[in-house]
Amino acid sequence: MPERTRPGLTLGPVYYLWDAAKWRDFHFRIADEAPVERVLIGETVCSKRQHFIEPHLAEVLERLEAAGKEVVFSTLSLVTLARESKQIREMAAESDHMLEGNDLSALAVLKDKPHTISPLINVYNAPTARLLASRGAKTICLPPELPFASVQEIAENCPDIDFEVFAFGRMPLAISARCAHARSKGRIKDNCLFVCGEEPDGLPVKTLDRQSFLTLNGVQTVSHACQSLLGELDDLVAAGIRSFRLSPQDCNMVEVARLYRAVLDGVMGADEAIAGLQKIYPAAPLSNGFHHAREGAAWVARARNLQAS
């Protein structure tokens, strides 16, 4: 494995529809204060939202790079229209920055160009990872539903690939050509009036017996629970994972990044960091079930080593 002084932190793209000023100011603060090395920007979920952030892309890019962050442009996770396909081709042809593929159609365009692979692409085994790397992928963020045993096996069999793990955030589960978020408010996708912007952290979905279940984000479905792998970072680093992705939620993401950095650097214990994370983001229960080969919403408490007195 190439020498690396310490594991890195990546801030993923904002999945939710935030108003333009909030999106801009969020990234300005990330640039100035967050201990992350890489930041992904760009619309990933719905191309109709693109015009909200477009006026601020240049100044956000400039601010992030001035702060020493590596900036990667995220592409759409579901390409259904000719204009969307054209946009990705133009980005690949004209951008001086690395792009992240969120859809297999983007990977065809990005072939032989340095790029990253998002957790939305199913990389479930080492041969798939090696194939993607042979086509130009420099970093692969593994899907959040993979158990640790699978992550470990993939990393062990691909020591020359830079792997990343989805370590914080509501987990992306599905995406659709139709918009359930708009439908829930009596609208259709073509005339949605951007109602998804009314829930900057997603629209909660409950079962018939009123139990929290999933969260809608426009055409995307994410988990109700928020994945947190603070207690598993040591094992993942030992397995060869080189960076950890923090997916933006409507909370103080600078403080979230500081907690993860502190645990990775060994200056804070995982239990203390988990308690702090629950205070920073009380909107959703924490989960780590997928990592432990359980249901994704489960929380598996950390085992404590007890020494005999």
Side-chain angles (χ1 to χ4, degrees), residues 4-80:
R4 185 163 185 167
T5 56
R6 65 176 187 171
L9 286 177
T10 295
L11 185 80
V14 175
Y15 286 146
Y16 308 97
L17 176 57
W18 294 350
D19 67 64
K22 178 176 179 175
W23 184 88
R24 176 200 62 204
D25 294 346
F26 169 79
H27 286 95
F28 280 2
R29 188 172 178 224
I30 291 296
D32 297 343
E33 302 178 39
V36 299
E37 289 75 34
R38 177 184 291 161
V39 180
L40 285 103
I41 61 175
E43 180 53 48
T44 300
V45 175
C46 178
S47 64
K48 292 179 64 178
R49 300 174 177 179
Q50 182 68 27
H51 74 275
F52 284 92
I53 65 175
E54 221 159 38
H56 300 296
L57 275 173
E59 57 183 334
V60 164
L61 173 63
E62 182 180 5
R63 184 75 160 259
L64 288 168
E65 291 190 327
K69 315 295 188 190
E70 177 190 2
V71 177
V72 176
F73 280 88
S74 186
T75 59
L76 283 171
S77 54
L78 181 63
V79 177
T80 60

Side-chain angles (χ1 to χ4, degrees), residues 45 77-78 120 171-176 215 217-223:
V45 175
S77 54
L78 181 63
L120 304 182
M171 295 167 282
L173 300 177
I175 195 156
S176 170
T215 302
N217 171 39
V219 296
Q220 184 186 49
T221 302
V222 297
S223 63

Side-chain angles (χ1 to χ4, degrees), residues 134-185:
S134 72
R135 293 169 61 90
K138 299 304 180 185
T139 299
I140 297 174
C141 185
L142 295 171
E145 63 268 25
L146 278 180
F148 176 66
S150 296
V151 172
Q152 187 176 36
E153 182 178 354
I154 293 170
E156 285 179 352
N157 285 281
C158 305
D160 296 325
I161 299 177
D162 191 347
F163 286 109
E164 187 171 274
V165 162
F166 189 99
F168 173 82
R170 294 184 192 260
M171 295 167 282
L173 300 177
I175 195 156
S176 170
R178 294 186 173 89
C179 185
H181 201 145
R183 185 65 178 268
S184 72
K185 300 195 174 190

Side-chain angles (χ1 to χ4, degrees), residues 144-145 169-171 173 211-215 222-229 284-301:
E145 63 268 25
R170 294 184 192 260
M171 295 167 282
L173 300 177
Q211 291 184 331
S212 295
F213 180 45
L214 298 170
T215 302
V222 297
S223 63
H224 165 65
C226 173
Q227 173 137 298
S228 170
L229 299 183
L286 300 183
S287 68
N288 58 8
F290 282 140
H291 179 90
H292 296 279
R294 295 269 307 278
E295 64 275 18
W299 176 254
V300 179

Side-chain angles (χ1 to χ4, degrees), residues 81-116:
L81 302 173
R83 63 173 174 81
E84 295 170 345
S85 180
K86 179 182 177 183
Q87 178 194 45
I88 293 175
R89 291 196 303 271
E90 290 176 347
M91 290 174 67
E94 300 171 8
S95 178
D96 294 329
H97 293 79
M98 200 177 299
L99 304 185
E100 174 155 285
N102 289 284
D103 179 84
L104 291 180
S105 65
L107 298 190
V109 176
L110 295 174
K111 184 178 183 299
D112 297 330
K113 298 176 182 291
H115 61 274
T116 65

